Amino acid sequence: MPKEPKKWVVPVIMIIAAIVTAVNGVLPLTVLLLILPPVSAALAYAAGPVPTAAVCVSAAAGCIYALPGVFGIAGAGWCCLTCAAAVIPFRHKAVRPILWAALPMLMWAVLLAVLNGIYDRAIIPGLALTAQDIVESSPDCVEILLRAYSSGLARLEGTEALVPAYSVMGRTVMTEYVKMQLLYSLRVSIEKLLPGMMCTGIVWHTAINALLCVWLPDLLRRKSGEKGLLPSPEGWYIPGGIGAAAVSLCAGWLLTFLAEEGPVYYLGLLCSNVFRVLFLIQGVCLMLWLEKRMGMRVLGRTLWVLIMTLLAPVIPIVMGLIDQRRDIRNLRKMDIKEDTK
């Protein structure tokens, strides 16, 4: 365990960060709220319940101060639930990881319910229109539209596509007709991309939040000389029965071909994203195991896994599927032998 005089250092830094981010605006506060669960999980072990509760309360106060209306209440509720999941002692060890996975899903459900009320049951068009208004009112509107045009998010038709803007005395100028056409095209592109981005964001946020909240306290426990509650990442795997159910989620990918939008399409996106996340994690664990057997150092293993995950995620996914089928690390065989003893 950390020494007593030092246990308040990180909480004090987090409290100051909560105050600063609340004063500086919504975006920094949103980032703070995203990292609050893993930080709270680590603080609950390293510093105890009181410093952890102090950090969560300060973040909740920042939400009420910086976020408007119901968003401030929802943000404060997120902080309170995070504090409860980190601090409350549970008799069964499986309860806390389940809470860490359920917390982001609950947050997304509340957020979607609030947005559903604000935009009168038209969340995607409403968010796209809000994004268009933000871009239009921005002082850098012309530069943003030109970047969107060059990346293919916004399109022009006719002769305006040849020269969408021109320079006058060192300033980029765009006609009102071209500007309106680009804004409308950008809004249409956002409407098409937003459902997939939201489904992917929900799944990845839930997975990363649960992994960090479970792994960080265990890492601190190992650093302090105690026995970890979890095996090292090289020993993580999906049990056989759960793996078969996870593979069946791949059928969700087929649902995306049955409908271009609507509940069936979104269900298919969620299923396919859960499938990718589960077997990506298993593939990464297999890569770490192989690299450790090859004698690679920790830094080299970490960098190589990050590069493969970011640039070629299909490779770890395929490796995860192969490991599920072939049990390359013999982890499931060892579990079967232990159960038969």
Side-chain angles (χ1 to χ4, degrees):
M1 293 286 290
K3 293 180 181 180
E4 193 72 17
K6 293 184 178 181
K7 74 174 187 177
W8 275 94
V9 173
V10 175
V12 168
I13 293 174
M14 289 297 299
I15 292 171
I16 295 173
I19 297 172
V20 172
T21 52
V23 172
N24 286 338
V26 175
L27 184 59
L29 185 62
T30 303
V31 175
L32 179 69
L33 292 179
L34 287 176
I35 67 172
L36 184 63
V39 170
S40 299
L43 282 177
Y45 171 76
V50 176
T52 305
V55 170
C56 294
V57 168
S58 62
C63 290
I64 295 175
Y65 172 78
L67 300 178
V70 68
F71 289 103
I73 298 174
W78 164 261
C79 298
C80 294
L81 289 174
T82 299
C83 180
V87 170
I88 295 177
F90 297 104
R91 181 177 298 179
H92 298 287
K93 297 178 181 179
V95 174
R96 204 180 303 277
I98 293 174
L99 283 179
W100 288 129
L103 191 61
M105 290 189 286
L106 177 63
M107 184 272 291
W108 279 100
V110 171
L111 180 61
L112 291 175
V114 171
L115 293 175
N116 193 50
I118 292 175
Y119 292 116
D120 194 20
R121 299 184 179 181
I123 298 177
I124 302 301
L127 289 174
L129 184 60
T130 301
Q132 176 185 323
D133 294 339
I134 292 173
V135 172
E136 188 175 4
S137 61
S138 172
D140 301 323
C141 175
V142 174
E143 286 76 10
I144 295 173
L145 290 176
L146 286 176
R147 291 194 203 102
Y149 176 71
S150 62
S151 63
L153 289 175
R155 297 181 180 181
L156 285 173
E157 297 180 357
T159 57
E160 289 83 2
L162 299 176
V163 185
Y166 49 93
S167 180
V168 176
M169 299 181 65
R171 293 184 58 188
T172 305
V173 180
M174 182 181 292
T175 64
E176 194 66 22
Y177 174 75
V178 171
K179 183 179 177 181
M180 290 297 105
Q181 193 174 348
L182 286 174
L183 283 170
Y184 175 76
S185 178
L186 179 61
R187 189 182 77 188
V188 171
S189 297
I190 292 174
E191 285 187 19
K192 291 180 179 179
L193 294 173
L194 202 53
M197 293 171 62
M198 290 178 67
C199 290
T200 303
I202 291 172
V203 174
W204 276 102
H205 179 212
T206 302
I208 293 174
N209 184 82
L211 281 174
L212 288 179
C213 290
V214 172
W215 177 70
L216 281 177
D218 202 67
L219 178 65
L220 293 176
R221 190 175 286 108
R222 292 173 184 275
K223 293 290 186 182
S224 63
E226 298 181 30
K227 184 180 179 180
L229 301 178
L230 299 172
S232 60
E234 295 86 359
W236 294 2
Y237 67 96
I238 303 174
I242 298 176
V247 171
S248 67
L249 290 173
C250 189
W253 178 63
L254 301 176
L255 294 178
T256 59
F257 295 98
L258 300 178
E260 294 183 357
E261 57 183 14
V264 175
Y265 177 75
Y266 300 148
L267 178 62
L269 281 177
L270 280 172
C271 289
S272 59
N273 276 297
V274 171
F275 168 81
R276 283 197 292 265
V277 168
L278 286 176
F279 286 101
L280 176 69
I281 294 172
Q282 177 155 286
V284 165
C285 295
L286 175 60
M287 289 176 64
L288 290 171
W289 180 79
L290 291 172
E291 291 165 355
K292 188 174 183 179
R293 292 195 66 182
M294 293 167 59
M296 292 180 64
R297 295 187 177 182
V298 176
L299 180 60
R301 297 202 301 265
T302 305
L303 289 176
W304 181 246
V305 165
L306 285 175
I307 291 171
M308 295 298 293
T309 303
L310 295 175
L311 300 183
V314 69
I315 295 177
I317 292 174
V318 172
M319 292 179 67
L321 285 168
I322 294 173
D323 185 54
Q324 187 69 28
R325 180 68 181 86
R326 305 293 298 179
D327 194 15
I328 298 173
R329 294 171 287 173
N330 294 322
L331 296 174
R332 296 170 191 83
K333 294 178 182 177
M334 288 189 290
D335 281 352
I336 293 173
K337 289 180 180 178
E338 290 179 2
D339 292 339
T340 55
K341 288 181 179 179

